[in-house]
Amino acid sequence: MFSSIDFAGSGSGVSAVSAVLASGSSPFFRPENMVHQMIPISINPAPSASSNSNVMKRFLSCVCVALVVIGLVACGSAPLTPAGRPAPGQTGSVRSTPTDAAAIISQAKGRWVPVAWSDLPGFADDSLFEAWNAWIKSCERAIAVMASICPEVRRLSIGSPQDQRAWMQERLQPFRVESVQGEATGLLTSYFEPVLEASRVPTNGFTVPLYQPPAGLAQRKPWFSRQEIDTLPEAQAALQGRAIAYLADPIDALVLQIQGSGRIRITQPDGGQRWVRLAYAGTNDQPYRSVGRWLLDQGLIKDASWPGIKAWLAQNPQRQQELLWSNPRVVFFREEPITGADSNEGPRGAQGVALTPGRSIAVDPGSIPYGTPVWLASRGPQVNLEKLVLAQDTGSAITGAVRADYFAGWGFDAGELAGRLRQALQMWVLWPKPAQ
């Protein structure tokens, strides 16, 4: 649907012409489109030939004058301008409609379709404080188009939610995110930062190593698979001395690798303890294979959430190694200290800024650039979300236009949500309007 075009003019003659143009009748200035002005003429009962001639001359003269006046009025009128569009020299904005093809923005993995703010479910109800803090973090590494509005974002950090909402509506245009085929509904999952106990050295209770990248990792692609790391002397020799810490449970190690980072309380050889973050530092470049999908494909489980997977393993401990090897990808880590300030922030995402629980999402950067504010809506059995979030991370399984991974935070409750969340999703990017 395209917006209708209305025409405006001044004076009765131009108004009539405008009505004809808008009706789609015959081309302008064809005889049936002429505008006639009725001119009163006094006619005597028995006119003479000379009087008839004089009347005719006066009539033709009046008609010519009327045509000249109409032409002058039309020339002096404002140009015929489509409704909603500013005339040349005027300022103003046009609210795009979802089907205005000229306003649709194409991305590598999808497209953005302009919509009205009223299309965003729950926009008037979200408490924006936490989202605003996440937005300010994104401003530390903002792309150019977002950097232009960051001074205003920072100034509004102490503003009320009403002020922040009004500013967003004035300065940003919402676009519905769709696939290239026009599908606006996608998938929402969740991830979290595990909190685990570990030992700096292997002990009877802690035997599962977490490695930093081995030397020469870049020279061999793909590197050894998970099974090869566990069984080949060559792979084990390359990892000698590269262990950062040891966990007690290989499933916890797998979860940590899938999430990409975690908070670890490490017990040192002298018995002292310290909190560190193990952050993503690379992979062996092997393909990622979901262990949940592996179980589903074999008909072994119906619940592929992490609680469901752990329940199956509790009943089938002899198949644990087989399950682990079904995913050949291994993630390597680097150790980062957790200071007082860091304890209230998540790990750094792909944008390079700290993630905010409940306000950061991982996206496919081929659809949504890092640092973009996004309105997210998802309703399902696990959680109902209608809120402002920031695109600050990505992941190997996060592909496609309408796809997001919701950062739930850290600890047990976040892990429970992340392990079960899999429901329908809609997203709207909030993009700066062009400078006027």
Side-chain angles (χ1 to χ4, degrees), residues 109-112 176-185 400-402:
K109 297 287 188 68
R111 65 181 188 178
W112 301 351
R176 183 176 64 249
V177 179
E178 296 182 353
S179 68
V180 175
Q181 295 76 25
E183 178 57 57
T185 301
V402 194

Side-chain angles (χ1 to χ4, degrees), residues 225-237:
S225 69
R226 184 181 300 273
Q227 182 175 357
E228 290 169 338
I229 288 172
D230 288 343
T231 59
L232 292 182
E234 180 185 355
Q236 294 172 0

Side-chain angles (χ1 to χ4, degrees), residues 87-132:
Q90 295 178 338
T91 59
S93 61
V94 184
R95 196 191 77 176
S96 301
T97 59
T99 51
D100 185 352
I104 293 175
I105 299 177
S106 296
Q107 301 291 331
K109 297 287 188 68
R111 65 181 188 178
W112 301 351
V113 179
V115 299
W117 281 98
S118 58
D119 285 9
L120 276 57
F123 177 68
D125 303 322
D126 186 27
S127 177
L128 299 174
F129 175 74
E130 291 177 349
W132 221 263

